[in-house]
Amino acid sequence: MIRELCLSLFLLSLSSCLTFNTGAKLDSLGKAVPSLSEEDKGQYYRWNGVVYREVMISYVQLNPHLIGSCFMGYWDVNTPDTPATEDSGGPRPQCYLVRMQAERTDMPTFIRAADFNYSQAQKIAPNENIPRTIPREYFKERLDLLTLTPSQNSPNHHLGEIPTIRSTGNKLRLPVAVALSYGVDAPLTAINYAVGSICFIIVAPFM
């Protein structure tokens, strides 16, 4: 009987670790976020001793849950992204060149193909001496400080170095979204996380 009670309290503690994302949900409307898939296969170039690869970058709309979950540092806040429509300000996919060597911070990370100096670059074939995988450093999860929402659990990589596009309506709603995030979502999330942590501490010795 005690074990069943402890298990019930433990499950309650899990369900109490909720994240409230009304601000992020409102902010997602009319916002187009640049995204890149590593499945893109492009041509390689060497420019000023640095290897670049052509990639296609498209814009997506994030779909945060109104109520997500958080447990042991794992945040579940987004459903899969959807392609950004013209209504949300999303342009057509664009070709960029991405630097394949993360340690060369003296060179641009992303360059629009329209701005890349192809005439001075050398077209090269990929081989064992050329990095094949885009450096993971470019895709670290980021916390959106405006809406206090981490960009996790997405099948795509969100690129902080390429600007996010916001519609006029999104810009007008942004103060309301920020107010909801800090005035409503943050306090409710903190209260729920505190309740879950206390329940876990109480139940843990009996598990």
Side-chain angles (χ1 to χ4, degrees), residues 75-112:
W75 294 64
D76 179 19
V77 295
N78 291 326
T79 56
D81 304 334
T82 55
T85 63
E86 293 183 1
D87 293 337
S88 61
R92 294 180 177 179
Q94 301 178 40
C95 182
Y96 276 73
L97 286 99
V98 57
R99 188 184 73 224
M100 300 298 289
Q101 295 155 281
E103 66 277 5
R104 288 295 302 270
T105 55
D106 58 315
M107 298 291 286
T109 305
F110 290 93
I111 305 175
R112 285 198 315 162

Side-chain angles (χ1 to χ4, degrees), residues 5-170:
L5 177 60
C6 291
L7 180 59
S8 298
L9 290 174
F10 179 69
L11 293 176
L12 176 62
S13 72
L14 294 183
S15 64
S16 297
C17 300
L18 303 177
T19 62
F20 293 83
N21 311 300
T22 59
K25 188 68 175 180
L26 180 63
D27 182 55
S28 69
L29 304 177
K31 182 171 73 172
V33 180
S35 181
L36 175 149
S37 172
E38 288 197 39
E39 297 302 320
D40 293 331
K41 306 298 181 183
Q43 179 60 52
Y44 288 78
Y45 292 87
R46 191 186 306 277
W47 177 53
N48 286 345
V50 177
V51 175
Y52 280 84
R53 193 183 92 185
E54 289 180 334
V55 294
M56 292 301 294
I57 291 178
S58 58
Y59 278 79
V60 297
Q61 179 177 327
L62 305 182
N63 297 299
H65 300 304
L66 281 174
I67 299 179
S69 61
C70 176
F71 183 67
M72 299 297 288
Y74 177 80
W75 294 64
D76 179 19
V77 295
N78 291 326
T79 56
D81 304 334
T82 55
T85 63
E86 293 183 1
D87 293 337
S88 61
R92 294 180 177 179
Q94 301 178 40
C95 182
Y96 276 73
L97 286 99
V98 57
R99 188 184 73 224
M100 300 298 289
Q101 295 155 281
E103 66 277 5
R104 288 295 302 270
T105 55
D106 58 315
M107 298 291 286
T109 305
F110 290 93
I111 305 175
R112 285 198 315 162
D115 301 327
F116 188 73
N117 196 336
Y118 283 96
S119 62
Q120 294 185 3
Q122 175 190 4
K123 188 176 182 179
I124 58 178
N127 56 58
E128 65 275 4
N129 297 321
I130 294 178
R132 298 294 189 92
T133 303
I134 297 175
R136 299 298 303 176
E137 291 90 330
Y138 301 166
F139 307 127
K140 291 180 179 178
E141 304 295 355
R142 297 174 175 86
L143 176 69
D144 186 344
L145 294 178
L146 289 177
T147 57
L148 299 176
T149 307
S151 58
Q152 292 190 11
N153 307 340
S154 169
N156 298 314
H157 299 298
H158 304 151
L159 310 173
E161 297 189 27
I162 299 176
T164 292
I165 297 177
R166 296 177 178 272
S167 67
T168 301
N170 177 275

